[in-house]
């Protein structure tokens, strides 16, 4: 039951990210994706750092910078580039390979060995997402595909390193989230200024939209996301990603008057079923007994059976050391 509660709370993050497309198109100035990313990340990060009243120490200055770059600073610009170069939701499909990236990196860095059922769930979920967001005549663009793959790889590496490094003794998830959002926002700021120029005029609707994105869509959602990474396996967390395009499609139908075809409804069903199946597969893997060495010593290859009680990643750090896509292409996290 505790694991189910952790999964449910973590799932609120991609569900929230699924609202980004509607808020951006209905309330915010057009053609300012990088400024929007900046307004999401930096104010939210500074707020969480102020609330936590804790700054990084020692190696955590560069670790927070690396995680902030992977999860936010590099992820956002690459994602937006893919969204602009890949029409018709192709960017969302390219990004949906993230669970496969995470599974590979988790096997290398975390000794999390995904089962065949988990990998199959990831592939089926990506197929379901493609049915939801792909449109007839969708074109491929080499730069867009590379940007989409790079954004997915960046986020995947960020998830796995967040799991591997854990957090410093006595530092809570709130501070860790604030560090990453602040670092990511500071990286986006100069890129937004060079590419998009001076900030746009902000009216009342835009102010409300930016406030929602900074607080609910970013500060709270990323806190839940990173909290889930601590308590679940990396692959289990990333398999919740398809909830974002599903949410975007539902909001587009319910609030924006967008039609949902039978194929899209089928895709939503397939993606949601695969997401649930992936969680059950990860739960079975987590509950399986660890193998024994010849001396009888236990070797842990997955997260513990009750991850909800775990405050640190299963694999210790070495010494010294998310387009929402609705029916079109748009930013996912």
């Amino acid at each position: 039951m505790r694991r189910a509660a952790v999964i449910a709370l973590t799932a609120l993050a991609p569900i929230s990210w699924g609202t980004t497309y509607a808020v951006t198109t209905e309330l915010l100035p057009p053609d300012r994706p990088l400024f929007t990313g900046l307004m999401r990340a930096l104010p939210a990060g500074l707020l969480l750092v102020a609330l936590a009243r804790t700054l990084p120490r020692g190696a955590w200055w560069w670790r927070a910078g690396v995680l902030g770059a992977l999860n936010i600073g590099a992820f956002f610009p690459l994602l937006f580039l893919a969204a602009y170069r890949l029409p018709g939701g192709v960017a969302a499909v390219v990004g949906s390979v993230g669970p496969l990236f995470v599974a590979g990196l988790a096997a290398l860095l975390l000794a999390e060995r995904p089962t065949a059922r988990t990998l199959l769930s990831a592939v089926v979920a990506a197929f379901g997402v493609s049915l939801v967001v792909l449109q007839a005549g969708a074109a491929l663009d080499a730069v867009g595909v590379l940007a989409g793959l790079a954004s997915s790889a960046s986020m995947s590496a960020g998830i796995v390193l967040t799991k591997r490094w854990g957090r410093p003794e006595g530092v809570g998830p709130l501070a860790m989230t604030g560090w990453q959002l602040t670092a990511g926002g500071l990286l986006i700021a100069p890129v937004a200024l060079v590419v998009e120029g001076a900030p746009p005029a902000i009216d009342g609707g835009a102010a409300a939209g930016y406030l929602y994105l900074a607080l609910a869509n970013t500060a709270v959602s990323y806190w839940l996301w990173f909290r889930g990474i601590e308590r679940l396996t990396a692959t289990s967390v990333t398999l919740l990603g398809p909830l974002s395009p599903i949410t975007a499609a539902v909001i587009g139908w319910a609030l924006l008057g967008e039609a949902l075809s039978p194929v899209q409804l089928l895709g939503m069903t397939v993606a949601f079923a695969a997401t649930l199946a992936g969680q059950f597969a990860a739960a079975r893997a987590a509950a399986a007994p660890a193998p024994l060495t010849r001396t009888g010593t236990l070797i842990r290859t997955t997260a513990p059976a009750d991850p909800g009680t775990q405050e640190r990643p299963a694999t210790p750090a070495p010494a010294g050391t998310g387009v929402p896509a609705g029916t079109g292409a748009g930013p996912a996290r």
Side-chain angles (χ1 to χ4, degrees), residues 92-203:
V93 178
V94 173
S96 66
V97 302
L100 299 177
F101 283 148
V102 169
L105 289 172
L108 290 173
L109 300 178
L110 304 176
E112 289 182 7
R113 300 184 184 277
T115 65
R117 290 183 179 181
T118 299
L119 295 177
L120 179 62
S121 296
V123 173
V124 173
F127 173 71
V129 169
S130 71
L131 295 181
V132 175
V133 300
L134 277 182
Q135 298 177 2
L140 294 179
D141 173 88
V143 174
V145 170
L146 289 175
L149 291 174
S151 69
S152 185
S154 177
M155 180 195 68
S156 300
I159 289 174
V160 173
L161 285 179
T162 299
K163 180 74 174 178
R164 179 175 177 84
W165 287 341
R167 48 188 168 85
E169 188 70 30
V171 174
L174 197 70
M176 281 290 296
T177 304
W179 297 350
Q180 295 187 50
L181 289 173
T182 301
L186 290 175
L187 288 174
I188 295 173
V191 179
L193 182 61
V194 171
V195 175
E196 298 179 352
I202 299 177
D203 58 18

Side-chain angles (χ1 to χ4, degrees), residues 56-86:
R57 294 182 179 179
W60 277 100
W61 280 104
W62 68 263
R63 284 186 180 179
V66 170
L67 295 178
L70 291 173
N71 287 316
I72 309 294
F75 174 73
F76 278 1
L78 289 169
L79 187 68
F80 288 131
L81 176 59
Y84 275 101
R85 302 283 301 218
L86 298 174

